[in-house]
């Protein structure tokens, strides 16, 4: 158990809908990273937050947004969902703000868009 | 394309044998990390090797890094059925995107 929690574990929704994925980092970690894992694209970095501020941005679509709250938990919002958004979504955390640090991954949220 | 590329894509060996996976990358790195992922679950960090290190050990794991060849290898000795998983290398590039870049992974199957 990494200490990173993610909810929900599974999510099934329809095209055009909006969902919110939640992540709680390990105690004391200030950075949260979001990743998307699909069979064809592999593990893709989406975005990093550090202590409430956006630190780095990856291949995140405009339909996706994220934020980190004062208690350091983070939410990833996915809107206008398409079939291709079906994937595993992971969050990871690390103590500092440096992307070179070891990252601790949560168990993931499996999103299925029908 | 991905910074790190693992080779082979899949590996199947008998329990007790050693497993070697390779990772190649393209740009200069700060460090290289290896992660394990059991089917459909979260990634677990195995080992981090910095660019000025050549070899690192952790239990049955041995990682080497050759920055001149831009490659790394992960050796798992005396494999066990529980080692069945996908293994990913992740590089932390010095320049460019400020993110860990993961390869496509090696799927390792240990046969009892």
């Amino acid at each position: 158990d990494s200490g990173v929690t993610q909810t929900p574990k599974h999510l099934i929704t329809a095209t055009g809908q909006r969902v919110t994925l939640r992540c709680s980092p390990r105690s004391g970690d200030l950075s949260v990273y979001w990743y998307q894992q699909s069979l064809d694209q592999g593990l893709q970095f989406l975005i990093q937050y550090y202590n409430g501020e956006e630190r780095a941005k990856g291949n995140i679509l405009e339909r996706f947004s994220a934020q980190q709250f004062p208690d350091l938990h983070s939410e990833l919002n996915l809107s206008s969902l398409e079939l291709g958004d079906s994937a595993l979504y992971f969050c990871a955390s690390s103590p500092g703000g440096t992307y070179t640090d070891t990252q601790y991954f949560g168990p993931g949220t499996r999103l299925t868009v029908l | 394309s991905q910074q790190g590329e693992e080779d082979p894509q899949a590996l199947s060996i008998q329990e007790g044998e050693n497993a070697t996976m390779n990772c190649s990358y393209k740009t200069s790195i700060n460090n290289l990390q290896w992660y394990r992922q059991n089917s459909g679950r979260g990634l677990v960090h195995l080992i981090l090797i910095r660019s000025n290190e050549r070899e690192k050990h952790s239990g049955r794991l041995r990682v080497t890094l050759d920055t001149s060849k831009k490659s790394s290898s992960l050796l798992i000795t005396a494999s066990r059925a529980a080692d069945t998983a996908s293994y990913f290398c992740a590089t932390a590039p010095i320049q460019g995107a400020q993110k860990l870049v993961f390869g496509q992974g090696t799927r390792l199957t240990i046969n009892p």
Side-chain angles (χ1 to χ4, degrees):
Chain A
D1 185 359
S2 67
V4 178
T5 61
Q6 287 187 250
T7 57
K9 287 188 74 172
H10 302 276
L11 202 46
I12 301 175
T13 188
T15 54
Q17 295 298 304
R18 172 189 169 94
V19 298
T20 297
L21 313 183
R22 183 188 168 105
C23 168
S24 292
R26 293 187 324 158
S27 177
D29 284 359
L30 298 180
S31 272
V32 169
Y33 309 79
W34 285 98
Y35 291 88
Q36 179 193 58
Q37 186 179 39
S38 60
L39 283 174
D40 56 342
Q41 293 290 321
L43 196 67
Q44 297 285 328
F45 168 73
L46 296 178
I47 197 163
Q48 176 198 357
Y49 277 83
Y50 172 69
N51 205 21
E53 301 288 326
E54 183 183 304
R55 177 60 67 101
K57 216 165 185 175
N59 304 325
I60 189 165
L61 300 172
E62 285 193 14
R63 300 183 285 108
F64 296 1
S65 64
Q67 55 184 325
Q68 187 179 29
F69 295 87
D71 67 352
L72 301 177
H73 90 271
S74 178
E75 292 181 357
L76 179 67
N77 300 296
L78 315 176
S79 61
S80 302
L81 285 167
E82 302 175 359
L83 295 178
D85 298 327
S86 295
L88 268 169
Y89 290 84
F90 291 105
C91 81
S93 71
S94 68
T98 310
Y99 68 99
T100 58
D101 291 342
T102 294
Q103 295 181 17
Y104 300 88
F105 281 74
T109 293
R110 183 175 293 278
L111 173 66
T112 303
V113 182
L114 301 175
Chain B
S1 63
Q2 295 283 1
Q3 161 80 316
E5 294 185 3
E6 285 94 339
D7 169 57
Q9 289 190 334
L11 180 61
S12 181
I13 61 174
Q14 295 300 119
E15 198 166 15
E17 293 180 341
N18 296 341
T20 299
M21 288 157 271
N22 302 296
C23 170
S24 61
Y25 57 93
K26 297 189 173 88
T27 64
S28 296
I29 59 172
N30 183 294
N31 65 52
L32 185 145
Q33 304 178 30
W34 285 92
Y35 288 81
R36 183 188 75 229
Q37 183 181 31
N38 290 84
S39 183
R41 305 186 67 174
L43 280 74
V44 175
H45 181 260
L46 297 175
I47 203 160
L48 181 154
I49 186 164
R50 302 184 198 289
S51 60
N52 61 353
E53 297 175 311
R54 292 297 167 256
E55 189 170 310
K56 213 158 179 184
H57 296 256
S58 176
R60 294 183 295 112
L61 305 182
R62 172 179 168 248
V63 167
T64 61
L65 178 65
D66 186 335
T67 53
S68 66
K69 293 181 180 177
K70 291 187 169 59
S71 68
S72 173
S73 67
L74 170 66
L75 169 67
I76 303 174
T77 60
S79 63
R80 305 167 182 170
D83 295 329
T84 294
S86 291
Y87 291 81
F88 295 87
C89 70
T91 51
I94 290 176
Q95 292 179 326
Q98 303 289 288
K99 62 179 182 178
L100 277 185
V101 181
F102 287 80
Q104 294 286 359
T106 291
R107 184 162 191 82
L108 175 65
T109 302
I110 309 297
N111 302 303

